[in-house]
Amino acid sequence: MKPLWEALAAHRDAIAALSLRDAFERDPGRAERMSREACGIFFDFSKNRLTDRTLECLLDLAHASNLPARIEAMCRGDRVNATEGRAALHVALRQPGGVLPVDGVDVMPDVLAMRARMADLAHAVRSGAWQGHAGHPIADVVSLGIGGSALGPRMACQALRHLAAASPKVHFVSTVDGTELARVLAPLAPETTLFIVASKSFTTQETMTNARSARAWLLASGASEAAIAHHFVALSSNARAVAEFGIDPAQMLGFEDWVGGRYSVWSAIGLPVAIALGPEAFEQMLAGAHAMDLHFRSAPLEANLPVLLALVGIWNTDLLGAATSAVAPYNECLALLPAHLQQLEMESNGKSVRLDGTPTPRATSPVVWGNTGIDAQHAWFQMLHQGTQMVPVDFIIAIDAPGTLPGHQPILLANCLAQAEALMCGRTADEVRRELAAAGLTGQALEQAVPHRVFGGNRPSNMLMLDRVDPQTLGALVALYEHKVFVQAALWQVNAFDQWGVELGKVLTARILPELTAEAGSRIPTSARTHDASTAALIARVRQRLA
Ligand code: F6P
């Protein structure tokens, strides 16, 4: 593999002077050659600092990494999550049927049965057949979950909100900052509220704290313990912890441990989506993701959207040194997509050790960040255009926007196309001079103004264009990024499906919490003496303030 990375580096040096502006002027076929379309997504990667040869070198690397075999291994349920000894089989969750044996046992009957249970439950809540303990239909659903148990469903509910029923209203609370749960619950009536406790492990401190407060809120309204069955549903892989919490396992929708948190929106964790938008819309999302799975498995690498998106990312990160990567949807519906992708990419590939335990010799996940492009261009795009760091951008647009107002959509789309063009073309000193002269500026005043108005250009971006944000296309878009992450992990040789890096903070929280809450005068647990001076002083300060 090393010689191929070295060949890429040599190629990068050979094309260091590449000007995208010149490349487009010289080569009228560039945009067409560097665009692909699949599953309702048009992908133009021509505004990246690469050539046809770059693509060949990247594809050589993908082939040498046995990428097609690795894709097959994941999709057929091999234990690709080696550090946890299990499969990563989110593709099964969106498979419409068929047979998929894992360790000799077909997983599809359980997957389909769970999908049917979700649909029944969603129908019951939406139709009013599911009633609170006092016999009222459910008016509000509050989903309690964090990370992968919140970001995907919340993003999908927001993206497809134009399809949402007026009732029940679906709310999400992830933080353990109690002001948020209190704010959400304040206007709600306990007898018409259904809580969904979404936690794969059912041990996550933030979620369990919120679940306990929700239960206390229900009981404080005069409801009996027996009422809990009417107002709590659990989505989890841990039936024992669900029962210990006091939720009847019959009220639990389960999923297998081969569903990773950040890949779990397709599992029972998607229940809030099915309730908000209807199970039919949820199934269309699955169908869109499944279409992308089929494309990923069958399209040749050079025509394969997730593979190309991944390779372009590797080029920008590892060869051109981009430390971060921005996502800018020009679409209000997709406002929460950057947050979902942040977890997907950074929790999956934010690793510095390879599968064999050796340090990775090159950069892995960039910092992924972003928000809606139209807001961002009035906030942080300045840095993208003229800052000292190169930040590749994924622009995402949808042509139709159901419910938009006359005249708005062309303005929105024009802004997006303009930003991508501006990043790529820039504006030279001569162009600036001509513009300033035309505006009447001369002499020293003109020359002083020039450097501030020059745009270096040559800044890379991808354009992902959808016809509209509908369940199918959203499913395909999210699956596209999931598979992008898988491809990058394969080339970086890291495990995309574990997240050991989140553990230490949890351990230290468990140690610090009793130190903050121990009563005044009581002996502070001995671990207080094991902290560094800064942390110990901060603990003392917080303790004093909380007292
Ligand atoms: O702490 C990180 C993490 O484990 C994520 O990987 C996961 O999505 C999230 O917490 C929530 O976990 P759970 O669904 O088990 O509550």
Side-chain angles (χ1 to χ4, degrees):
M1 218 67 68
K2 202 162 160 230
L4 289 173
W5 283 101
E6 284 168 0
L8 263 171
H11 166 71
R12 180 231 12 237
D13 296 344
I15 65 161
L18 175 80
S19 150
L20 284 171
R21 245 193 199 209
D22 293 349
F24 275 103
E25 266 163 33
R26 272 199 323 269
D27 174 6
R30 179 179 172 93
E32 199 183 328
R33 269 198 333 282
M34 296 191 182
S35 300
R36 308 281 187 276
E37 190 165 11
C39 309
I41 300 172
F42 179 76
F43 172 41
D44 175 357
F45 56 95
S46 63
K47 291 197 187 73
N48 283 281
R49 271 191 233 167
L50 43 74
T51 65
D52 296 321
R53 177 73 196 129
T54 315
L55 212 52
E56 282 167 20
C57 294
L58 288 165
L59 287 165
D60 286 348
L61 187 66
H63 280 292
S65 306
N66 269 333
L67 185 58
R70 284 169 180 241
I71 295 173
E72 271 318 293
M74 176 182 69
C75 294
R76 71 169 173 252
D78 285 9
R79 293 177 193 272
V80 290
N81 179 357
T83 59
E84 294 178 312
R86 58 196 185 212
L89 210 40
H90 37 287
V91 293
L93 300 169
R94 45 235 195 180
Q95 201 164 294
V99 176
L100 213 173
V102 173
D103 296 331
V105 180
D106 181 13
V107 300
M108 286 315 295
D110 281 353
V111 167
L112 297 180
M114 184 49 59
R115 215 180 282 166
R117 271 192 76 197
M118 280 173 76
D120 289 347
L121 206 154
H123 275 308
V125 175
R126 285 164 66 84
S127 67
W130 181 295
Q131 295 181 338
H133 69 281
H136 303 301
I138 297 300
D140 293 279
V141 174
V142 182
S143 180
L144 307 173
I146 198 163
S149 295
L151 289 164
R154 190 175 203 165
M155 178 275 296
C157 286
Q158 156 110 352
L160 302 169
R161 61 191 169 179
H162 55 283
L163 303 177
S167 178
K169 280 201 170 56
V170 178
H171 316 260
F172 292 88
V173 178
S174 57
T175 175
V176 76
D177 177 340
T179 59
E180 183 60 5
L181 182 59
R183 181 190 70 77
V184 168
L185 294 185
L188 308 191
E191 35 329 325
T192 56
T193 299
L194 175 69
F195 291 99
I196 296 178
V197 187
S199 174
K200 178 179 174 182
S201 60
F202 229 71
T203 57
T204 302
Q205 187 184 45
E206 296 87 338
T207 302
M208 298 324 296
T209 305
N210 282 331
R212 280 191 292 273
S213 295
R215 185 174 56 187
W217 177 78
L218 174 70
L219 298 179
S221 71
S224 67
E225 289 281 339
I228 289 176
H230 295 263
H231 295 276
F232 277 82
V233 170
L235 314 177
S236 185
S237 298
N238 187 349
R240 211 174 61 186
V242 169
E244 276 165 20
F245 177 83
I247 299 178
D248 183 343
Q251 307 265 112
M252 170 182 132
L253 302 191
F255 52 99
E256 299 296 328
D257 67 356
W258 43 253
V259 182
R262 51 197 174 273
Y263 302 88
S264 65
V265 63
W266 323 100
S267 71
I269 291 291
L271 181 67
V273 185
I275 293 179
L277 314 172
E280 298 76 15
F282 182 67
E283 296 223 352
Q284 284 163 18
M285 242 181 90
L286 298 183
H290 179 64
M292 184 56 76
D293 296 340
L294 293 179
H295 167 77
F296 184 49
R297 278 180 96 162
S298 62
L301 299 190
E302 62 279 8
N304 195 309
L305 256 59
V307 172
L308 292 169
L309 188 60
L311 294 181
V312 170
I314 284 188
W315 174 251
N316 286 329
T317 302
D318 294 289
L319 281 306
L320 301 187
T324 85
S325 162
V327 188
Y330 274 69
N331 188 303
E332 218 45 42
C333 296
L334 296 177
L336 298 179
L337 184 68
H340 179 63
L341 297 184
Q342 219 164 31
Q343 185 193 16
L344 181 61
E345 299 210 17
M346 294 169 75
E347 200 173 65
S348 296
N349 284 342
K351 312 282 165 68
S352 43
V353 168
R354 291 183 285 194
L355 278 158
D356 64 5
T358 58
T360 164
R362 51 191 60 86
T364 56
S365 174
V367 176
V368 177
W369 57 294
N371 63 289
T372 48
I374 201 76
D375 293 302
Q377 69 185 45
H378 293 280
W380 43 262
F381 269 37
Q382 161 65 36
M383 180 269 192
L384 301 191
H385 288 291
Q386 288 188 315
T388 52
Q389 293 184 41
M390 181 190 90
V391 181
V393 186
D394 281 3
F395 290 103
I396 304 177
I397 55 177
I399 303 300
D400 302 333
T404 188
L405 298 173
H408 285 237
Q409 196 62 0
I411 297 174
L412 183 67
L413 300 181
N415 268 280
C416 181
L417 301 183
Q419 291 295 333
E421 188 172 36
L423 283 168
M424 189 273 282
C425 288
R427 193 164 59 172
T428 65
D430 281 347
E431 287 167 345
V432 173
R433 274 193 195 94
R434 279 198 295 276
E435 281 168 28
L436 291 177
L441 228 67
T442 53
Q444 209 188 359
L446 183 148
E447 283 309 321
Q448 276 173 353
V450 169
H452 301 282
R453 287 162 168 76
V454 167
F455 285 53
N458 229 18
R459 300 195 173 211
S461 68
N462 290 318
M463 181 68 67
L464 292 159
M465 191 185 286
L466 326 174
D467 286 340
R468 69 194 64 78
V469 180
D470 58 22
Q472 197 121 1
T473 317
L474 182 70
L477 182 66
V478 175
L480 164 66
Y481 275 96
E482 288 179 352
H483 295 322
K484 167 204 169 179
V485 165
F486 177 78
V487 172
Q488 293 190 330
L491 270 63
W492 287 325
Q493 296 174 291
V494 299
N495 180 2
F497 300 114
D498 64 11
Q499 57 283 321
W500 298 107
V502 302
E503 295 307 323
L504 180 58
K506 293 180 187 176
V507 171
L508 295 185
T509 299
R511 192 183 296 170
I512 290 174
L513 181 60
E515 296 169 19
L516 295 184
T517 54
E519 284 192 8
S522 71
R523 221 166 58 86
I524 299 179
T526 47
S527 61
R529 280 183 249 121
T530 68
H531 294 295
D532 63 87
S534 162
T535 308
L538 291 169
I539 289 171
R541 197 176 170 84
V542 173
R543 208 178 127 70
Q544 197 182 30
R545 297 292 168 94
L546 282 179

